[in-house]
Amino acid sequence: MIAAAAQFVPVPGDVPANVRSMEALVHEAAARGARLVVFPELAVTGYELGLLTRDPGLWTAHDDPRLSGLREACRATSTAAVVNCAAPSTDGARPTIASLVLGPDGELLTRYDKRHLHGAEHDLFAAGTADGRFVLDGVRFALAVCYDNRFPEVAGRAAADGCEVYVASSALDVGNDSFETVYPVRARDNGMHVVLGNLMGHSTEAGECAGNSAVWGPDGALVATAGTAAPGLAVAELPGPTSHVS
């Protein structure tokens, strides 16, 4: 299976514009053979907590009409997508930071709500209570979002649960040490591939994010990166001994 870690510069609070950017990246990833595209944390709106607090209209459920083009892109290309957004909670109170996994048919495969909130996120969001899992083409995936990855037990539970690939959506600013001290370590310590989608551009709360979306192998070695220069994809084949970068 080929997976792609995506990065782009979200327009703050502009859901339609950001969804269009994601649609284009799904089509680009599919043209390179990908079956899965992983987007960054709060990619649908940008990591803009103030905007999300002031305007609940920016919260996005999996069946939101504004995601219809993205669901169609998944269907048209037979590609799954991990779409991170502020999603209404099941009890209708606070939203969560949610990874909505759209399947190759455009339907919801699963939803994961970020369990470990950070800083000002506590003022707006509710924390999730369950780990995220899904299966695609016989491969078992684990889901995590940004600060979740600072907790080794999250990846440890995933490995114990038979997951082969650990999927992370993040909003990491320039200079964040996670690229060296977290993601490759989670891969190496648990024998899993790690696929990270990270934001680009300026965020009011997260600071300046520079992409570096990447894939690490089960030995912790970097096997693909999208770099910091431009929006795009890190594409790699996984899992298995014949993995290659494209």
Side-chain angles (χ1 to χ4, degrees):
M1 176 194 292
I2 295 175
Q7 61 188 39
F8 69 102
V9 181
V11 180
D14 193 334
V15 175
N18 297 329
V19 169
R20 286 192 296 271
S21 294
M22 297 164 81
E23 291 170 26
L25 285 164
V26 167
H27 281 281
E28 180 183 347
R32 296 172 66 179
R35 280 280 283 167
L36 176 69
V37 186
V38 179
F39 288 102
E41 184 177 22
L42 294 179
V44 172
T45 56
Y47 190 92
E48 300 291 335
L49 305 189
L51 286 177
L52 290 165
T53 298
R54 293 190 297 273
D55 186 3
L58 296 175
W59 305 354
T60 315
H62 76 274
D63 57 354
D64 192 301
R66 292 171 294 183
L67 296 183
S68 60
L70 189 52
R71 291 192 292 270
E72 178 54 34
C74 290
R75 280 192 293 270
T77 60
S78 193
T79 306
V82 178
V83 179
N84 196 270
C85 61
S89 59
T90 54
D91 63 7
R94 289 185 171 200
T96 66
I97 299 177
S99 284
L100 308 177
V101 183
L102 303 180
D105 60 356
E107 300 302 317
L108 185 70
L109 273 179
T110 195
R111 166 178 169 165
Y112 168 71
D113 297 323
K114 183 177 182 178
R115 298 190 70 171
H116 299 89
L117 301 178
H118 183 264
E121 293 172 0
H122 289 278
D123 297 332
L124 172 60
F125 296 105
T129 58
D131 290 332
R133 306 282 188 264
F134 68 98
V135 176
L136 180 66
D137 294 349
V139 178
R140 188 164 176 80
F141 291 81
L143 293 159
V145 180
C146 210
Y147 195 50
D148 283 332
N149 303 299
R150 288 282 179 176
F151 297 81
E153 60 269 25
V154 175
R157 288 195 301 268
D161 195 27
C163 295
E164 298 165 272
V165 184
Y166 183 88
V167 172
S169 298
S170 291
L172 301 172
D173 62 344
V174 174
N176 192 294
D177 68 351
S178 295
F179 299 99
E180 294 78 33
T181 65
V182 175
Y183 297 99
V185 175
R186 298 293 172 265
R188 184 182 65 245
D189 286 355
N190 297 283
M192 295 187 294
H193 283 82
V194 171
V195 182
L196 165 69
N198 190 50
L199 282 181
M200 295 193 80
H202 181 76
S203 159
T204 304
E205 286 85 10
E208 195 67 31
C209 300
N212 260 332
S213 297
V215 181
W216 289 266
D219 59 355
L222 181 68
V223 297
T225 178
T228 62
L233 302 164
V235 182
E237 187 174 340
L238 57 109
T242 59
S243 297
H244 67 272
V245 181
S246 63

PDB file of all heavy atoms in Angstrom, residues 18-53:
ATOM      1  N   ASN A  18     -10.215  25.577   1.847  1.00  0.00           N
ATOM      2  CA  ASN A  18      -9.335  24.533   2.370  1.00  0.00           C
ATOM      3  C   ASN A  18      -9.733  23.156   1.853  1.00  0.00           C
ATOM      4  O   ASN A  18      -8.875  22.320   1.546  1.00  0.00           O
ATOM      5  CB  ASN A  18      -9.331  24.572   3.894  1.00  0.00           C
ATOM      6  CG  ASN A  18      -8.766  25.872   4.425  1.00  0.00           C
ATOM      7  OD1 ASN A  18      -7.896  26.483   3.797  1.00  0.00           O
ATOM      8  ND2 ASN A  18      -9.266  26.314   5.564  1.00  0.00           N
ATOM      9  N   VAL A  19     -11.027  22.924   1.733  1.00  0.00           N
ATOM     10  CA  VAL A  19     -11.487  21.646   1.193  1.00  0.00           C
ATOM     11  C   VAL A  19     -11.048  21.502  -0.264  1.00  0.00           C
ATOM     12  O   VAL A  19     -10.631  20.413  -0.701  1.00  0.00           O
ATOM     13  CB  VAL A  19     -13.013  21.507   1.346  1.00  0.00           C
ATOM     14  CG1 VAL A  19     -13.536  20.320   0.541  1.00  0.00           C
ATOM     15  CG2 VAL A  19     -13.380  21.336   2.820  1.00  0.00           C
ATOM     16  N   ARG A  20     -11.087  22.576  -1.012  1.00  0.00           N
ATOM     17  CA  ARG A  20     -10.615  22.513  -2.402  1.00  0.00           C
ATOM     18  C   ARG A  20      -9.127  22.150  -2.463  1.00  0.00           C
ATOM     19  O   ARG A  20      -8.700  21.364  -3.324  1.00  0.00           O
ATOM     20  CB  ARG A  20     -10.875  23.838  -3.126  1.00  0.00           C
ATOM     21  CG  ARG A  20     -12.341  24.062  -3.480  1.00  0.00           C
ATOM     22  CD  ARG A  20     -12.491  25.216  -4.444  1.00  0.00           C
ATOM     23  NE  ARG A  20     -12.073  26.499  -3.883  1.00  0.00           N
ATOM     24  CZ  ARG A  20     -12.869  27.322  -3.212  1.00  0.00           C
ATOM     25  NH1 ARG A  20     -14.139  26.989  -2.990  1.00  0.00           N
ATOM     26  NH2 ARG A  20     -12.406  28.462  -2.748  1.00  0.00           N
ATOM     27  N   SER A  21      -8.347  22.724  -1.559  1.00  0.00           N
ATOM     28  CA  SER A  21      -6.923  22.381  -1.509  1.00  0.00           C
ATOM     29  C   SER A  21      -6.734  20.908  -1.190  1.00  0.00           C
ATOM     30  O   SER A  21      -5.867  20.226  -1.776  1.00  0.00           O
ATOM     31  CB  SER A  21      -6.206  23.235  -0.454  1.00  0.00           C
ATOM     32  OG  SER A  21      -6.192  24.598  -0.820  1.00  0.00           O
ATOM     33  N   MET A  22      -7.548  20.388  -0.292  1.00  0.00           N
ATOM     34  CA  MET A  22      -7.450  18.983   0.085  1.00  0.00           C
ATOM     35  C   MET A  22      -7.893  18.070  -1.056  1.00  0.00           C
ATOM     36  O   MET A  22      -7.285  17.019  -1.304  1.00  0.00           O
ATOM     37  CB  MET A  22      -8.259  18.747   1.360  1.00  0.00           C
ATOM     38  CG  MET A  22      -7.712  19.524   2.551  1.00  0.00           C
ATOM     39  SD  MET A  22      -8.863  19.661   3.931  1.00  0.00           S
ATOM     40  CE  MET A  22      -8.623  18.079   4.707  1.00  0.00           C
ATOM     41  N   GLU A  23      -8.937  18.471  -1.769  1.00  0.00           N
ATOM     42  CA  GLU A  23      -9.375  17.697  -2.937  1.00  0.00           C
ATOM     43  C   GLU A  23      -8.232  17.563  -3.945  1.00  0.00           C
ATOM     44  O   GLU A  23      -7.973  16.470  -4.476  1.00  0.00           O
ATOM     45  CB  GLU A  23     -10.557  18.382  -3.613  1.00  0.00           C
ATOM     46  CG  GLU A  23     -11.847  18.371  -2.819  1.00  0.00           C
ATOM     47  CD  GLU A  23     -12.880  19.287  -3.462  1.00  0.00           C
ATOM     48  OE1 GLU A  23     -12.808  19.520  -4.692  1.00  0.00           O
ATOM     49  OE2 GLU A  23     -13.759  19.776  -2.732  1.00  0.00           O
ATOM     50  N   ALA A  24      -7.553  18.673  -4.215  1.00  0.00           N
ATOM     51  CA  ALA A  24      -6.457  18.646  -5.185  1.00  0.00           C
ATOM     52  C   ALA A  24      -5.342  17.723  -4.718  1.00  0.00           C
ATOM     53  O   ALA A  24      -4.746  16.992  -5.524  1.00  0.00           O
ATOM     54  CB  ALA A  24      -5.923  20.063  -5.404  1.00  0.00           C
ATOM     55  N   LEU A  25      -5.058  17.724  -3.426  1.00  0.00           N
ATOM     56  CA  LEU A  25      -4.005  16.859  -2.902  1.00  0.00           C
ATOM     57  C   LEU A  25      -4.413  15.389  -2.945  1.00  0.00           C
ATOM     58  O   LEU A  25      -3.564  14.517  -3.165  1.00  0.00           O
ATOM     59  CB  LEU A  25      -3.644  17.287  -1.473  1.00  0.00           C
ATOM     60  CG  LEU A  25      -2.815  18.573  -1.400  1.00  0.00           C
ATOM     61  CD1 LEU A  25      -2.837  19.150   0.012  1.00  0.00           C
ATOM     62  CD2 LEU A  25      -1.382  18.324  -1.851  1.00  0.00           C
ATOM     63  N   VAL A  26      -5.695  15.095  -2.754  1.00  0.00           N
ATOM     64  CA  VAL A  26      -6.166  13.719  -2.900  1.00  0.00           C
ATOM     65  C   VAL A  26      -5.946  13.242  -4.332  1.00  0.00           C
ATOM     66  O   VAL A  26      -5.437  12.136  -4.572  1.00  0.00           O
ATOM     67  CB  VAL A  26      -7.653  13.590  -2.496  1.00  0.00           C
ATOM     68  CG1 VAL A  26      -8.224  12.247  -2.952  1.00  0.00           C
ATOM     69  CG2 VAL A  26      -7.809  13.730  -0.987  1.00  0.00           C
ATOM     70  N   HIS A  27      -6.292  14.080  -5.296  1.00  0.00           N
ATOM     71  CA  HIS A  27      -6.104  13.697  -6.697  1.00  0.00           C
ATOM     72  C   HIS A  27      -4.616  13.538  -7.027  1.00  0.00           C
ATOM     73  O   HIS A  27      -4.228  12.594  -7.744  1.00  0.00           O
ATOM     74  CB  HIS A  27      -6.747  14.732  -7.614  1.00  0.00           C
ATOM     75  CG  HIS A  27      -8.229  14.598  -7.726  1.00  0.00           C
ATOM     76  ND1 HIS A  27      -8.832  13.659  -8.528  1.00  0.00           N
ATOM     77  CD2 HIS A  27      -9.244  15.285  -7.114  1.00  0.00           C
ATOM     78  CE1 HIS A  27     -10.155  13.754  -8.425  1.00  0.00           C
ATOM     79  NE2 HIS A  27     -10.429  14.736  -7.564  1.00  0.00           N
ATOM     80  N   GLU A  28      -3.781  14.430  -6.506  1.00  0.00           N
ATOM     81  CA  GLU A  28      -2.343  14.321  -6.744  1.00  0.00           C
ATOM     82  C   GLU A  28      -1.785  13.045  -6.121  1.00  0.00           C
ATOM     83  O   GLU A  28      -0.984  12.331  -6.748  1.00  0.00           O
ATOM     84  CB  GLU A  28      -1.620  15.537  -6.173  1.00  0.00           C
ATOM     85  CG  GLU A  28      -0.112  15.487  -6.377  1.00  0.00           C
ATOM     86  CD  GLU A  28       0.618  16.665  -5.756  1.00  0.00           C
ATOM     87  OE1 GLU A  28      -0.041  17.655  -5.383  1.00  0.00           O
ATOM     88  OE2 GLU A  28       1.852  16.583  -5.643  1.00  0.00           O
ATOM     89  N   ALA A  29      -2.216  12.748  -4.890  1.00  0.00           N
ATOM     90  CA  ALA A  29      -1.739  11.542  -4.209  1.00  0.00           C
ATOM     91  C   ALA A  29      -2.173  10.294  -4.972  1.00  0.00           C
ATOM     92  O   ALA A  29      -1.390   9.355  -5.155  1.00  0.00           O
ATOM     93  CB  ALA A  29      -2.264  11.505  -2.778  1.00  0.00           C
ATOM     94  N   ALA A  30      -3.416  10.278  -5.437  1.00  0.00           N
ATOM     95  CA  ALA A  30      -3.913   9.119  -6.175  1.00  0.00           C
ATOM     96  C   ALA A  30      -3.133   8.922  -7.470  1.00  0.00           C
ATOM     97  O   ALA A  30      -2.851   7.789  -7.871  1.00  0.00           O
ATOM     98  CB  ALA A  30      -5.399   9.291  -6.470  1.00  0.00           C
ATOM     99  N   ALA A  31      -2.766  10.020  -8.120  1.00  0.00           N
ATOM    100  CA  ALA A  31      -1.986   9.915  -9.353  1.00  0.00           C
ATOM    101  C   ALA A  31      -0.619   9.305  -9.095  1.00  0.00           C
ATOM    102  O   ALA A  31       0.002   8.748 -10.015  1.00  0.00           O
ATOM    103  CB  ALA A  31      -1.832  11.295  -9.987  1.00  0.00           C
ATOM    104  N   ARG A  32      -0.157   9.383  -7.851  1.00  0.00           N
ATOM    105  CA  ARG A  32       1.129   8.790  -7.472  1.00  0.00           C
ATOM    106  C   ARG A  32       0.932   7.424  -6.810  1.00  0.00           C
ATOM    107  O   ARG A  32       1.859   6.880  -6.237  1.00  0.00           O
ATOM    108  CB  ARG A  32       1.879   9.751  -6.561  1.00  0.00           C
ATOM    109  CG  ARG A  32       2.243  11.062  -7.243  1.00  0.00           C
ATOM    110  CD  ARG A  32       2.823  12.094  -6.314  1.00  0.00           C
ATOM    111  NE  ARG A  32       4.118  11.704  -5.786  1.00  0.00           N
ATOM    112  CZ  ARG A  32       4.842  12.462  -4.959  1.00  0.00           C
ATOM    113  NH1 ARG A  32       4.369  13.659  -4.583  1.00  0.00           N
ATOM    114  NH2 ARG A  32       5.999  12.038  -4.507  1.00  0.00           N
ATOM    115  N   GLY A  33      -0.280   6.896  -6.908  1.00  0.00           N
ATOM    116  CA  GLY A  33      -0.538   5.541  -6.454  1.00  0.00           C
ATOM    117  C   GLY A  33      -1.006   5.397  -5.026  1.00  0.00           C
ATOM    118  O   GLY A  33      -1.161   4.268  -4.534  1.00  0.00           O
ATOM    119  N   ALA A  34      -1.259   6.507  -4.324  1.00  0.00           N
ATOM    120  CA  ALA A  34      -1.621   6.425  -2.906  1.00  0.00           C
ATOM    121  C   ALA A  34      -3.039   5.909  -2.704  1.00  0.00           C
ATOM    122  O   ALA A  34      -3.949   6.244  -3.470  1.00  0.00           O
ATOM    123  CB  ALA A  34      -1.475   7.789  -2.244  1.00  0.00           C
ATOM    124  N   ARG A  35      -3.219   5.125  -1.667  1.00  0.00           N
ATOM    125  CA  ARG A  35      -4.537   4.662  -1.234  1.00  0.00           C
ATOM    126  C   ARG A  35      -5.005   5.421  -0.003  1.00  0.00           C
ATOM    127  O   ARG A  35      -6.166   5.320   0.399  1.00  0.00           O
ATOM    128  CB  ARG A  35      -4.498   3.174  -0.924  1.00  0.00           C
ATOM    129  CG  ARG A  35      -4.569   2.295  -2.153  1.00  0.00           C
ATOM    130  CD  ARG A  35      -5.996   2.157  -2.668  1.00  0.00           C
ATOM    131  NE  ARG A  35      -6.764   1.220  -1.843  1.00  0.00           N
ATOM    132  CZ  ARG A  35      -8.082   1.094  -1.892  1.00  0.00           C
ATOM    133  NH1 ARG A  35      -8.784   1.860  -2.704  1.00  0.00           N
ATOM    134  NH2 ARG A  35      -8.702   0.203  -1.133  1.00  0.00           N
ATOM    135  N   LEU A  36      -4.106   6.176   0.638  1.00  0.00           N
ATOM    136  CA  LEU A  36      -4.428   6.915   1.851  1.00  0.00           C
ATOM    137  C   LEU A  36      -3.687   8.239   1.845  1.00  0.00           C
ATOM    138  O   LEU A  36      -2.498   8.291   1.524  1.00  0.00           O
ATOM    139  CB  LEU A  36      -4.017   6.114   3.089  1.00  0.00           C
ATOM    140  CG  LEU A  36      -4.199   6.811   4.440  1.00  0.00           C
ATOM    141  CD1 LEU A  36      -5.683   6.966   4.774  1.00  0.00           C
ATOM    142  CD2 LEU A  36      -3.484   6.044   5.541  1.00  0.00           C
ATOM    143  N   VAL A  37      -4.412   9.313   2.204  1.00  0.00           N
ATOM    144  CA  VAL A  37      -3.818  10.642   2.355  1.00  0.00           C
ATOM    145  C   VAL A  37      -4.085  11.126   3.775  1.00  0.00           C
ATOM    146  O   VAL A  37      -5.232  11.086   4.245  1.00  0.00           O
ATOM    147  CB  VAL A  37      -4.405  11.648   1.344  1.00  0.00           C
ATOM    148  CG1 VAL A  37      -3.661  12.984   1.443  1.00  0.00           C
ATOM    149  CG2 VAL A  37      -4.343  11.104  -0.072  1.00  0.00           C
ATOM    150  N   VAL A  38      -3.044  11.584   4.450  1.00  0.00           N
ATOM    151  CA  VAL A  38      -3.154  12.049   5.840  1.00  0.00           C
ATOM    152  C   VAL A  38      -2.973  13.560   5.866  1.00  0.00           C
ATOM    153  O   VAL A  38      -1.914  14.078   5.461  1.00  0.00           O
ATOM    154  CB  VAL A  38      -2.094  11.371   6.726  1.00  0.00           C
ATOM    155  CG1 VAL A  38      -2.199  11.892   8.159  1.00  0.00           C
ATOM    156  CG2 VAL A  38      -2.254   9.850   6.686  1.00  0.00           C
ATOM    157  N   PHE A  39      -3.996  14.281   6.347  1.00  0.00           N
ATOM    158  CA  PHE A  39      -3.940  15.736   6.411  1.00  0.00           C
ATOM    159  C   PHE A  39      -3.577  16.216   7.820  1.00  0.00           C
ATOM    160  O   PHE A  39      -3.741  15.495   8.800  1.00  0.00           O
ATOM    161  CB  PHE A  39      -5.285  16.323   5.972  1.00  0.00           C
ATOM    162  CG  PHE A  39      -5.532  16.197   4.501  1.00  0.00           C
ATOM    163  CD1 PHE A  39      -6.380  15.218   3.995  1.00  0.00           C
ATOM    164  CD2 PHE A  39      -4.892  17.042   3.601  1.00  0.00           C
ATOM    165  CE1 PHE A  39      -6.595  15.085   2.634  1.00  0.00           C
ATOM    166  CE2 PHE A  39      -5.099  16.921   2.228  1.00  0.00           C
ATOM    167  CZ  PHE A  39      -5.950  15.943   1.749  1.00  0.00           C
ATOM    168  N   PRO A  40      -3.102  17.467   7.937  1.00  0.00           N
ATOM    169  CA  PRO A  40      -2.659  17.998   9.230  1.00  0.00           C
ATOM    170  C   PRO A  40      -3.802  18.268  10.204  1.00  0.00           C
ATOM    171  O   PRO A  40      -4.990  18.205   9.864  1.00  0.00           O
ATOM    172  CB  PRO A  40      -1.962  19.311   8.845  1.00  0.00           C
ATOM    173  CG  PRO A  40      -1.643  19.184   7.396  1.00  0.00           C
ATOM    174  CD  PRO A  40      -2.760  18.351   6.820  1.00  0.00           C
ATOM    175  N   GLU A  41      -3.421  18.632  11.420  1.00  0.00           N
ATOM    176  CA  GLU A  41      -4.383  18.970  12.468  1.00  0.00           C
ATOM    177  C   GLU A  41      -5.160  20.235  12.092  1.00  0.00           C
ATOM    178  O   GLU A  41      -4.585  21.238  11.666  1.00  0.00           O
ATOM    179  CB  GLU A  41      -3.652  19.198  13.794  1.00  0.00           C
ATOM    180  CG  GLU A  41      -4.578  19.471  14.966  1.00  0.00           C
ATOM    181  CD  GLU A  41      -3.852  19.618  16.289  1.00  0.00           C
ATOM    182  OE1 GLU A  41      -2.643  19.926  16.276  1.00  0.00           O
ATOM    183  OE2 GLU A  41      -4.483  19.429  17.336  1.00  0.00           O
ATOM    184  N   LEU A  42      -6.485  20.159  12.246  1.00  0.00           N
ATOM    185  CA  LEU A  42      -7.402  21.272  11.960  1.00  0.00           C
ATOM    186  C   LEU A  42      -7.186  21.840  10.550  1.00  0.00           C
ATOM    187  O   LEU A  42      -7.329  23.039  10.312  1.00  0.00           O
ATOM    188  CB  LEU A  42      -7.280  22.371  13.022  1.00  0.00           C
ATOM    189  CG  LEU A  42      -7.732  21.959  14.430  1.00  0.00           C
ATOM    190  CD1 LEU A  42      -7.554  23.114  15.414  1.00  0.00           C
ATOM    191  CD2 LEU A  42      -9.185  21.492  14.429  1.00  0.00           C
ATOM    192  N   ALA A  43      -6.892  20.939   9.604  1.00  0.00           N
ATOM    193  CA  ALA A  43      -6.646  21.371   8.231  1.00  0.00           C
ATOM    194  C   ALA A  43      -7.870  22.031   7.602  1.00  0.00           C
ATOM    195  O   ALA A  43      -7.739  22.896   6.723  1.00  0.00           O
ATOM    196  CB  ALA A  43      -6.214  20.177   7.382  1.00  0.00           C
ATOM    197  N   VAL A  44      -9.054  21.664   8.040  1.00  0.00           N
ATOM    198  CA  VAL A  44     -10.284  22.175   7.421  1.00  0.00           C
ATOM    199  C   VAL A  44     -10.469  23.668   7.673  1.00  0.00           C
ATOM    200  O   VAL A  44     -11.055  24.376   6.840  1.00  0.00           O
ATOM    201  CB  VAL A  44     -11.500  21.369   7.920  1.00  0.00           C
ATOM    202  CG1 VAL A  44     -12.813  21.988   7.458  1.00  0.00           C
ATOM    203  CG2 VAL A  44     -11.409  19.921   7.437  1.00  0.00           C
ATOM    204  N   THR A  45      -9.959  24.169   8.797  1.00  0.00           N
ATOM    205  CA  THR A  45     -10.131  25.582   9.151  1.00  0.00           C
ATOM    206  C   THR A  45      -8.819  26.314   9.379  1.00  0.00           C
ATOM    207  O   THR A  45      -8.806  27.544   9.481  1.00  0.00           O
ATOM    208  CB  THR A  45     -10.945  25.722  10.450  1.00  0.00           C
ATOM    209  OG1 THR A  45     -10.287  24.973  11.486  1.00  0.00           O
ATOM    210  CG2 THR A  45     -12.358  25.200  10.267  1.00  0.00           C
ATOM    211  N   GLY A  46      -7.715  25.579   9.474  1.00  0.00           N
ATOM    212  CA  GLY A  46      -6.497  26.120  10.037  1.00  0.00           C
ATOM    213  C   GLY A  46      -6.550  26.010  11.550  1.00  0.00           C
ATOM    214  O   GLY A  46      -7.633  25.880  12.149  1.00  0.00           O
ATOM    215  N   TYR A  47      -5.367  26.005  12.169  1.00  0.00           N
ATOM    216  CA  TYR A  47      -5.299  25.914  13.637  1.00  0.00           C
ATOM    217  C   TYR A  47      -5.579  27.303  14.201  1.00  0.00           C
ATOM    218  O   TYR A  47      -4.672  28.060  14.550  1.00  0.00           O
ATOM    219  CB  TYR A  47      -3.930  25.399  14.071  1.00  0.00           C
ATOM    220  CG  TYR A  47      -3.863  25.040  15.548  1.00  0.00           C
ATOM    221  CD1 TYR A  47      -4.127  23.738  15.967  1.00  0.00           C
ATOM    222  CD2 TYR A  47      -3.537  25.986  16.496  1.00  0.00           C
ATOM    223  CE1 TYR A  47      -4.071  23.397  17.308  1.00  0.00           C
ATOM    224  CE2 TYR A  47      -3.480  25.659  17.837  1.00  0.00           C
ATOM    225  CZ  TYR A  47      -3.746  24.362  18.239  1.00  0.00           C
ATOM    226  OH  TYR A  47      -3.687  24.030  19.577  1.00  0.00           O
ATOM    227  N   GLU A  48      -6.862  27.651  14.247  1.00  0.00           N
ATOM    228  CA  GLU A  48      -7.312  28.990  14.638  1.00  0.00           C
ATOM    229  C   GLU A  48      -8.348  28.844  15.746  1.00  0.00           C
ATOM    230  O   GLU A  48      -9.562  28.838  15.497  1.00  0.00           O
ATOM    231  CB  GLU A  48      -7.895  29.722  13.424  1.00  0.00           C
ATOM    232  CG  GLU A  48      -6.912  29.919  12.276  1.00  0.00           C
ATOM    233  CD  GLU A  48      -5.796  30.909  12.621  1.00  0.00           C
ATOM    234  OE1 GLU A  48      -6.011  31.771  13.506  1.00  0.00           O
ATOM    235  OE2 GLU A  48      -4.725  30.819  11.997  1.00  0.00           O
ATOM    236  N   LEU A  49      -7.879  28.735  16.974  1.00  0.00           N
ATOM    237  CA  LEU A  49      -8.781  28.460  18.090  1.00  0.00           C
ATOM    238  C   LEU A  49      -9.731  29.620  18.344  1.00  0.00           C
ATOM    239  O   LEU A  49     -10.890  29.409  18.716  1.00  0.00           O
ATOM    240  CB  LEU A  49      -7.969  28.139  19.348  1.00  0.00           C
ATOM    241  CG  LEU A  49      -6.938  27.005  19.229  1.00  0.00           C
ATOM    242  CD1 LEU A  49      -6.368  26.662  20.606  1.00  0.00           C
ATOM    243  CD2 LEU A  49      -7.535  25.776  18.560  1.00  0.00           C
ATOM    244  N   GLY A  50      -9.255  30.839  18.160  1.00  0.00           N
ATOM    245  CA  GLY A  50     -10.120  31.997  18.362  1.00  0.00           C
ATOM    246  C   GLY A  50     -11.290  31.992  17.404  1.00  0.00           C
ATOM    247  O   GLY A  50     -12.442  32.213  17.803  1.00  0.00           O
ATOM    248  N   LEU A  51     -11.018  31.751  16.138  1.00  0.00           N
ATOM    249  CA  LEU A  51     -12.094  31.683  15.150  1.00  0.00           C
ATOM    250  C   LEU A  51     -13.075  30.568  15.485  1.00  0.00           C
ATOM    251  O   LEU A  51     -14.298  30.744  15.379  1.00  0.00           O
ATOM    252  CB  LEU A  51     -11.510  31.442  13.759  1.00  0.00           C
ATOM    253  CG  LEU A  51     -10.804  32.611  13.070  1.00  0.00           C
ATOM    254  CD1 LEU A  51     -10.238  32.155  11.729  1.00  0.00           C
ATOM    255  CD2 LEU A  51     -11.762  33.779  12.874  1.00  0.00           C
ATOM    256  N   LEU A  52     -12.560  29.415  15.874  1.00  0.00           N
ATOM    257  CA  LEU A  52     -13.423  28.264  16.180  1.00  0.00           C
ATOM    258  C   LEU A  52     -14.258  28.505  17.423  1.00  0.00           C
ATOM    259  O   LEU A  52     -15.366  27.978  17.550  1.00  0.00           O
ATOM    260  CB  LEU A  52     -12.567  27.010  16.344  1.00  0.00           C
ATOM    261  CG  LEU A  52     -11.942  26.487  15.043  1.00  0.00           C
ATOM    262  CD1 LEU A  52     -10.852  25.487  15.342  1.00  0.00           C
ATOM    263  CD2 LEU A  52     -13.012  25.867  14.148  1.00  0.00           C
ATOM    264  N   THR A  53     -13.755  29.311  18.336  1.00  0.00           N
ATOM    265  CA  THR A  53     -14.522  29.656  19.541  1.00  0.00           C
ATOM    266  C   THR A  53     -15.654  30.612  19.199  1.00  0.00           C
ATOM    267  O   THR A  53     -16.789  30.460  19.662  1.00  0.00           O
ATOM    268  CB  THR A  53     -13.601  30.295  20.590  1.00  0.00           C
ATOM    269  OG1 THR A  53     -12.587  29.358  20.974  1.00  0.00           O
ATOM    270  CG2 THR A  53     -14.391  30.692  21.833  1.00  0.00           C
TER     271      THR A  53
END
